[in-house]
């Protein structure tokens, strides 16, 4: 029995010593060098990672792929001097019970230029799409933030650093992401989101100007063109607002001596009459200020321009069906209100033989006064005159008006030639009073 035990001990000792000898030359089980298993490897080969056979597969965007080998950029490596595997061969029977990790340091040699050239000539750098910033676009009648597009344009130096590090770390695959050029503005940008919200508020605005039957609606992109972004928000551009209203004034203003109108003369038919002081003339400056205020308030509303001169009937057909009509040839006056004839009468107009003929054109009643003394100088300039009238309605800026004439007993016919007024339109008392009582300020006075 003793012999058997002795023999068993001898066998164990021999096995132990053989193991000591073996693990003096090879690595323990469960040995890892730099994260790579190197169990039962000759000591002199344990640090060899065989880089010339290594392949790094690089995955880029849009299905692009690249394989990198050591030869592609003259890569070699060697363990630093003094690096050895620290394992106690005498403890080899316990080696299976734990993991043995070693992280030696290496000397690396490679060509950075070759690596960059290799990457530059690869599919990763071909047919690249530039990143696109997030932008505000119109979609389904609303402005939205269109997301940015990442593209697939690599920053070559950043890609080279990541690829090199992956190769040095012994990785087999690498997916590129942070190495790509990035959009400068993304859909998460707070200022872009705020701009889209403000643009939508403006885009929903609707401001309407009425010119009689015609309407001008300011909304949508035309309205957006009147704003600019200041960094703090959107504000109206005064020059754009002013120009918009200036164009409306050109289109709809009817005031001015050169403005011709078609007019249905009583008993005659359609004639052309020249302008005068009647009509609409927009105050573009003040109207622009008012519009800017409305735009700042982001309020949809009906707008009325501010006018320097106003007519009675809005729109291009501004004479309408309420007017005073005077025919100098027939020496007759008609007063229509709402299309109804209120009165008509013979008149005496300015005396053409003395150079004071009543001027033609379209004037307006711009004042209504009672008990006036009309003063002036007779046409020949020989003396002053003063004439009392019960009713006075001026129709231009030069002192011509409609009034009754107590000193006359007859009207109409050819009286005005040689015995006419100094330019005014003389009427009998009753029709003058009827006109005075019914006429509104700004009523057009058509004289032809």
């Amino acid at each position: 029995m003793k012999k058997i035990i002795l023999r068993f001990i001898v066998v164990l000792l021999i096995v132990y010593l053989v193991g000591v000898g073996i693990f003096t030359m090879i690595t323990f089980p469960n040995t890892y060098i730099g994260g790579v298993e190197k169990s039962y490897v000759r000591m002199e080969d344990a640090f060899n990672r065989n880089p010339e056979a290594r392949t790094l597969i690089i995955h880029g965007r849009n299905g692009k792929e690249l394989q990198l080998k050591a030869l592609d950029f003259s890569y070699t490596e060697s363990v630093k001097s003094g690096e050895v595997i620290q394992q106690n061969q005498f403890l080899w029977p316990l080696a299976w019970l734990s993991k043995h990790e070693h992280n030696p340091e290496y000397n690396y040699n490679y060509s950075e230029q070759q690596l960059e050239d290799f990457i530059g000539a690869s599919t990763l750098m071909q047919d690249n799409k530039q990143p696109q910033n997030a932008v505000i676009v119109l979609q389904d009648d609303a402005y939205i933030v269109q997301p940015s597009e990442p593209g697939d344009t690599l920053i070559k130096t950043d890609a080279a650093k990541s690829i090199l590090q992956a190769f040095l770390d012994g990785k087999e695959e690498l997916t590129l992401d942070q190495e790509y050029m990035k959009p400068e503005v993304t859909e998460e940008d707070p200022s872009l989101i705020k701009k889209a919200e403000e643009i939508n508020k403006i885009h929903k605005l609707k401001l309407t100007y009425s010119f009689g039957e015609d309407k001008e609606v300011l909304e949508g992109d035309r309205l957006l063109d009147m704003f600019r972004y200041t960094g703090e928000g959107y504000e109206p551009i005064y020059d754009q607002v002013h120009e918009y209203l200036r164009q409306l004034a050109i289109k709809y203003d009817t005031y001015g001596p050169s403005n011709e109108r078609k007019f249905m003369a009583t008993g005659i038919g359609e004639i052309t009459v020249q302008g005068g002081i009647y009509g609409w003339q927009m105050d573009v400056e003040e109207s622009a200020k008012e519009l800017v205020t409305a735009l700042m308030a982001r309020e949809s509303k009906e707008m009325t321009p501010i006018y320097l001169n106003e007519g009675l009937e809005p729109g291009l057909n501004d004479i309408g069906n309420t007017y005073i009509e005077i025919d100098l040839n027939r020496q007759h006056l008609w007063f229509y209100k709402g299309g109804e004839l209120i009165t008509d009468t013979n008149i005496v107009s300015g005396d053409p033989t003395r150079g004071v003929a009543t001027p033609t054109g379209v004037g307006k009643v711009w004042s209504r006064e009672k008990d006036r003394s009309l003063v002036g100088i007779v046409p020949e300039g020989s003396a002053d005159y003063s004439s009392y009238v019960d009713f006075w309605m001026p129709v231009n800026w030069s002192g011509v008006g409609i009034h009754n004439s107590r000193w006359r007993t007859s009207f109409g016919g050819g009286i005005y030639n040689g015995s006419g007024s100094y330019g005014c339109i003389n009427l009998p008392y009753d029709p003058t009073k009827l006109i005075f009582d019914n006429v509104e300020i700004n009523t057009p006075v058509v004289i032809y």
Side-chain angles (χ1 to χ4, degrees):
M1 184 68 178
K2 289 183 179 179
K3 290 181 179 180
I4 294 173
I5 294 173
L6 182 61
R7 287 175 184 172
F8 180 72
I9 293 172
V10 170
V11 170
L12 286 177
L13 181 60
I14 293 171
V15 171
Y16 172 74
L17 292 175
V18 170
V20 169
I22 290 173
F23 287 110
T24 301
M25 298 178 291
I26 67 173
T27 60
F28 279 162
N30 297 326
T31 295
Y32 289 84
I33 310 294
V36 179
E37 186 179 4
K38 292 282 187 172
S39 302
Y40 310 114
V41 175
R42 289 167 55 90
M43 289 292 191
E44 58 267 30
D45 295 332
F47 290 144
N48 183 8
R49 297 191 295 188
N50 195 19
E52 63 276 4
R54 192 187 312 161
T55 298
L56 175 64
I57 300 175
I58 303 155
H59 302 286
R61 290 177 181 170
N62 296 331
K64 295 179 181 179
E65 193 172 278
L66 176 65
Q67 292 187 5
L68 178 68
K69 296 181 179 180
L71 183 63
D72 295 324
F73 63 117
S74 302
Y75 178 86
T76 60
E77 65 180 32
S78 60
V79 70
K80 285 188 176 181
S81 177
E83 291 282 356
V84 294
I85 293 179
Q86 299 292 336
Q87 70 179 30
N88 189 342
Q89 65 270 27
F90 295 104
L91 299 177
W92 69 265
L94 304 176
W96 283 268
L97 303 178
S98 59
K99 186 177 181 179
H100 311 284
E101 292 185 289
H102 303 277
N103 293 293
E105 294 186 17
Y106 289 85
N107 292 315
Y108 305 109
N109 292 292
Y110 51 83
S111 170
E112 291 185 1
Q113 188 60 53
Q114 284 183 2
L115 179 59
E116 287 195 16
D117 291 346
F118 181 75
I119 295 170
S122 73
T123 57
L124 295 176
M125 301 295 292
Q126 296 174 5
D127 301 321
N128 297 125
K129 296 179 180 179
Q130 294 290 323
Q132 301 294 318
N133 288 334
V135 293
I136 298 171
V137 297
L138 181 63
Q139 180 177 301
D140 298 330
D141 202 36
Y143 282 87
I144 64 167
V145 175
Q146 180 174 281
S148 58
E149 294 288 343
D152 62 352
T153 300
L154 277 171
I155 303 172
K156 188 166 65 173
T157 54
D158 290 355
K161 289 178 183 178
S162 297
I163 291 170
L164 175 60
Q165 190 60 53
F167 202 92
L168 295 180
D169 293 342
K171 293 182 178 180
E172 295 181 354
E173 291 188 81
L174 171 67
T175 299
L176 297 173
D177 183 40
Q178 298 302 314
E179 299 78 11
Y180 285 93
M181 291 179 63
K182 298 176 178 61
E184 295 180 0
V185 182
T186 69
E187 54 272 25
E188 287 83 20
D189 189 298
S191 64
L192 191 65
I193 295 172
K194 181 181 178 182
K195 286 173 71 174
E197 290 173 351
E198 286 200 50
I199 288 174
N200 275 314
K201 288 180 182 178
I202 296 170
H203 192 250
K204 291 177 182 177
L205 287 178
K206 184 176 181 179
L207 297 107
T208 305
Y209 285 95
S210 295
F211 301 90
E213 296 179 353
D214 297 315
K215 293 186 182 297
E216 294 286 342
V217 180
L218 183 56
E219 62 181 343
D221 290 341
R222 180 67 184 89
L223 184 56
L224 282 173
D225 288 342
M226 294 185 179
F227 284 83
R228 65 179 161 213
Y229 188 71
T230 64
E232 298 295 325
Y234 282 88
E235 66 176 25
I237 306 170
Y238 178 80
D239 288 347
Q240 293 276 11
V241 173
H242 186 277
E243 178 60 19
Y244 171 74
L245 289 168
R246 190 181 76 87
Q247 291 299 326
L248 290 187
I250 292 172
K251 184 176 181 179
Y252 290 106
D253 275 5
T254 58
Y255 177 87
S258 61
N259 182 44
E260 292 186 344
R261 294 175 175 85
K262 298 297 182 181
F263 177 72
M264 293 300 294
T266 301
I268 296 176
E270 185 178 270
I271 62 172
T272 299
V273 291
Q274 295 297 317
I277 70 166
Y278 179 75
W280 299 88
Q281 182 183 21
M282 189 188 299
D283 188 332
V284 176
E285 302 291 335
E286 292 302 316
S287 295
K289 292 176 184 177
E290 185 178 58
L291 180 52
V292 165
T293 300
L295 295 178
M296 290 292 289
R298 307 291 195 265
E299 180 182 0
S300 294
K301 60 191 300 188
E302 299 281 334
M303 300 287 292
T304 301
I306 297 172
Y307 287 100
L308 293 168
N309 289 285
E310 296 184 10
L312 187 65
E313 185 78 18
L316 294 172
N317 183 22
D318 57 354
I319 292 179
N321 56 11
T322 296
Y323 53 87
I324 296 172
E325 175 186 355
I326 299 171
D327 186 337
L328 299 180
N329 288 330
R330 289 183 283 177
Q331 288 290 287
H332 202 82
L333 176 149
W334 297 263
F335 174 36
Y336 294 93
K337 189 169 186 177
E340 179 184 352
L341 180 63
I342 302 299
T343 186
D344 70 300
T345 179
N346 287 329
I347 63 168
V348 175
S349 63
D351 190 344
T353 65
R354 303 172 71 184
V356 285
T358 300
T360 59
V362 184
K364 68 178 180 180
V365 175
W366 57 268
S367 178
R368 295 166 64 255
E369 302 174 43
K370 286 184 176 182
D371 302 321
R372 274 288 304 269
S373 290
L374 306 180
V375 296
I377 302 175
V378 298
E380 292 78 6
S382 58
D384 296 337
Y385 69 85
S386 177
S387 301
Y388 171 83
V389 298
D390 296 283
F391 309 104
W392 168 244
M393 292 165 280
V395 299
N396 68 10
W397 309 136
S398 303
V400 174
I402 299 170
H403 60 80
N404 67 301
S405 301
R406 290 180 176 269
W407 58 90
R408 292 191 185 276
T409 58
S410 59
F411 297 86
I415 297 173
Y416 74 106
N417 278 310
S419 187
S421 71
Y422 299 149
C424 289
I425 299 95
N426 296 175
L427 277 66
Y429 179 91
D430 289 342
T432 309
K433 182 179 185 307
L434 192 58
I435 294 171
F436 186 90
D437 290 342
N438 287 275
V439 78
E440 299 177 55
I441 295 298
N442 290 326
T443 295
V445 180
V446 182
I447 305 173
Y448 58 90

